């Protein structure tokens, strides 16, 4: 059974870069059948899709975050990572990683990691 | 402002049936893209509840059902139970944004 686990700093200063890693266990990140994605949830709010990556390194970013984002994959470690730059308080959120089934047009997210709270504050 | 619109809250008594809506547009649900539903219990990660508009993953009770028509989708829960109290989110693909979008979520209260 595939499990995902986010890791990274809980507190980051404004203007700095956030780096998060998602470790996949119980399955290979190099599967042809799946994409891998990051999603965030602002406190008390809804969900916002951030970006996805395929094990080959192919990526797609949310256009509203594109200029500040980099997502990468390390197949040797069965991990994928998120870098989000020029942080502001508006980036304070719980960040989830998830596995993506099916094509982008019919994609579903399952399973999800437990999420990690990132607070942007000086 | 979410691309998909959901009512902020719905409520029902144990045993009752409740429905919640997810309204989109011609660039997402109305374009024929699939709708998924997720259940988020307090303090936990979302869990896939319905995919491909009407399909339940294994382990999801058949009390949960999804439907889609035009630019909207709906989630129905029958035989409401206390443990169904959670937030429910719809999700689809949007061709204008070229990415995945969510609804703002509906908080279900079991009275």
């Amino acid at each position: 059974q595939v499990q995902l686990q986010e890791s990274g700093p809980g507190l980051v200063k404004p203007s700095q870069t956030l780096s998060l890693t998602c470790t996949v266990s119980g399955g290979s990140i190099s599967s042809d059948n799946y994409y891998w994605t990051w999603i965030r949830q602002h406190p008390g709010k809804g969900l916002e899709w951030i970006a996805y990556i395929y094990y080959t390194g192919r990526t797609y970013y949310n256009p509203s975050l594109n200029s500040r984002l980099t997502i990468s994959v390390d197949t040797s470690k069965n991990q994928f990572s998120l870098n989000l730059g020029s942080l502001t308080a508006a980036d304070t959120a719980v960040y989830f990683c998830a596995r993506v089934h099916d094509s982008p047009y019919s994609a579903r997210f399952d399973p999800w990691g437990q999420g990690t709270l990132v607070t942007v504050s000086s | 402002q979410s691309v998909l619109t959901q009512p902020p809250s719905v409520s029902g008594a144990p045993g009752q049936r409740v429905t919640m809506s997810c309204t989109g547009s011609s660039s997402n649900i109305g374009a024929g893209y699939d709708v998924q539903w997720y259940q988020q219990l307090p303090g936990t990660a979302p869990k896939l509840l319905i995919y491909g508009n009407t399909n339940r993953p294994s382990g999801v009770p058949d009390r949960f059902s999804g439907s889609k028509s035009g630019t909207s989708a709906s989630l129905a829960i029958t035989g409401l139970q206390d443990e169904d109290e959670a937030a429910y989110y719809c999700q689809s693909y949007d061709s204008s944004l070229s990415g995945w979008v969510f609804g703002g979520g509906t908080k279900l209260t079991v009275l």
Side-chain angles (χ1 to χ4, degrees):
Chain A
Q1 181 179 352
V2 170
Q3 293 183 310
L4 290 82
Q5 177 70 57
E6 306 88 350
S7 59
L11 179 65
V12 191
K13 290 180 170 26
S15 80
Q16 289 189 340
T17 295
L18 169 66
S19 295
L20 295 175
T21 296
C22 181
T23 301
V24 179
S25 59
S28 174
I29 203 169
S30 301
S31 170
D32 289 342
N33 299 322
Y34 306 114
Y35 296 83
W36 306 90
T37 193
W38 289 98
I39 295 161
R40 69 180 182 180
Q41 185 170 34
H42 295 102
K45 303 292 186 183
L47 300 162
E48 179 183 29
W49 169 69
I50 298 172
Y52 76 70
I53 191 164
Y54 194 53
Y55 77 94
T56 57
R58 186 175 120 211
T59 59
Y60 196 80
Y61 300 149
N62 184 324
S64 69
L65 299 169
N66 190 11
S67 62
R68 301 192 288 134
L69 267 178
T70 305
I71 186 172
S72 59
V73 63
D74 187 335
T75 56
S76 67
K77 294 182 179 178
N78 231 31
Q79 295 176 334
F80 63 105
S81 299
L82 171 75
N83 279 3
L84 180 63
S86 304
L87 294 173
T88 71
D91 294 308
T92 294
V94 176
Y95 287 74
F96 297 99
C97 58
R99 185 176 66 175
V100 186
H101 297 241
D102 281 337
S103 74
Y105 306 132
S106 58
R108 61 187 189 269
F109 309 128
D110 178 52
W112 296 56
Q114 66 183 33
T116 186
L117 174 62
V118 175
T119 302
V120 181
S121 174
S122 55
Chain B
Q1 186 95 7
S2 300
V3 173
L4 304 178
T5 301
Q6 298 183 249
S9 63
V10 297
S11 62
Q16 284 189 334
R17 178 181 185 268
V18 296
T19 63
M20 58 190 76
S21 61
C22 174
T23 302
S25 67
S26 58
S27 63
N28 41 68
I29 298 175
Y33 300 121
D34 284 347
V35 176
Q36 280 63 239
W37 291 89
Y38 301 87
Q39 178 193 58
Q40 187 175 31
L41 298 170
T44 69
K47 169 193 162 187
L48 180 66
L49 202 61
I50 298 287
Y51 69 95
N53 307 313
T54 60
N55 302 297
R56 286 185 309 276
S58 61
V60 173
D62 60 5
R63 302 187 296 106
F64 295 89
S65 63
S67 63
K68 175 185 158 184
S69 179
T71 58
S72 294
S74 290
L75 175 70
I77 309 173
T78 59
L80 206 56
Q81 299 180 3
D82 289 345
E83 59 260 36
D84 298 333
E85 189 161 287
Y88 293 84
Y89 294 91
C90 59
Q91 170 255 317
S92 187
Y93 179 83
D94 189 281
S95 58
S96 294
L97 300 175
S98 295
W100 297 310
V101 292
F102 289 92
T106 297
K107 175 70 168 69
L108 169 63
T109 299
V110 180
L111 301 170

